[in-house]
Amino acid sequence: MARQQEAEEPAGESGEEPAEEPGEQLAEEPAEEPSGMDLVHLLREVTLRLDLAGARFAGRNGLHPTDLRALISLLDAARAGDESTPGRLGDRLGLNSAGTTALIDRLERLGLVRRVRDTRDRRRVLLEVDDRALALGQSFFGPLTDRTLALLATFEAGEQAAVRRFLSGVRDAVREEGA
């Protein structure tokens, strides 16, 4: 009987919320994010901030963002011991032949890159980053690199290995997804 009286009381008089009407839906609470999404969001923020820093660097030095990506790609290839040809650079950056030639011409005019003949095959052209580009990059990104290395020095070897494994895995996933 008490149940029937509650149902007959007008809303608000009993101090309880009225029962949900049939067909009426309550707003769903947002689904809880999967474990690790905070790290995905943090990685995205770091990527965004690095991209903005790269755009500032490019703007201050009269470069196009693609110029900066080309320089980074050439430096990464040299560090890995890989030779860089115009074709390989174009492939890495997703540029066609004409776009790659225009890019290299622009970087060469700025004194940041030079074309050199392959000593083993004189028909082949290799690309080298000029010391001027290294100095320019060091002057802008050097302090960030120094702070990053100082931060890494606070991590134990096992922690650094975990960070390396994570970042390598993300890099590989991006490659595989074609993003």
Side-chain angles (χ1 to χ4, degrees):
M1 188 71 157
R3 194 84 155 127
Q4 188 178 7
Q5 285 177 342
E6 285 178 19
E8 291 174 1
E9 286 183 69
E13 289 183 21
S14 70
E16 295 178 5
E17 291 293 322
E20 184 179 338
E21 293 290 326
E24 193 178 306
Q25 295 182 355
L26 296 176
E28 290 186 28
E29 290 187 30
E32 193 171 310
E33 289 188 325
S35 174
M37 279 305 291
D38 60 325
L39 294 177
V40 171
H41 295 306
L42 187 56
L43 180 61
R44 185 178 59 207
E45 182 181 356
V46 168
T47 302
L48 173 65
R49 291 184 183 278
L50 287 172
D51 189 51
L52 291 171
R56 280 192 307 278
F57 171 80
R60 288 180 186 175
N61 293 289
L63 301 173
H64 187 278
T66 303
D67 299 344
L68 178 57
R69 286 191 290 274
L71 290 170
I72 291 169
S73 180
L74 292 170
L75 290 169
D76 287 347
R79 191 173 17 269
D82 297 333
E83 295 177 329
S84 290
T85 64
R88 285 185 185 162
L89 179 63
D91 287 346
R92 280 189 234 127
L93 299 177
L95 298 174
N96 62 25
S97 179
T100 303
T101 298
L103 168 69
I104 296 167
D105 288 347
R106 191 169 53 245
L107 292 174
E108 200 170 38
R109 273 193 310 276
L110 292 168
L112 303 176
V113 168
R114 61 184 166 273
R115 291 174 171 105
V116 296
R117 292 281 168 198
D118 186 341
T119 56
R120 293 166 297 171
D121 182 351
R122 302 285 299 157
R123 297 169 294 176
R124 223 169 76 132
V125 173
L126 300 175
L127 302 172
E128 293 180 354
V129 176
D130 192 86
D131 289 342
R132 180 175 179 271
L134 295 172
L136 205 58
Q138 179 61 31
S139 69
F140 186 88
F141 292 106
L144 175 59
T145 301
D146 292 344
R147 286 185 68 179
T148 302
L149 290 172
L151 174 62
L152 274 172
T154 68
F155 287 63
E156 295 176 11
E159 292 172 313
Q160 287 186 23
V163 171
R164 186 175 296 107
R165 191 175 78 244
F166 173 73
L167 292 175
S168 296
V170 171
R171 178 203 57 209
D172 295 346
V174 170
R175 279 184 189 157
E176 289 170 12
E177 292 297 320

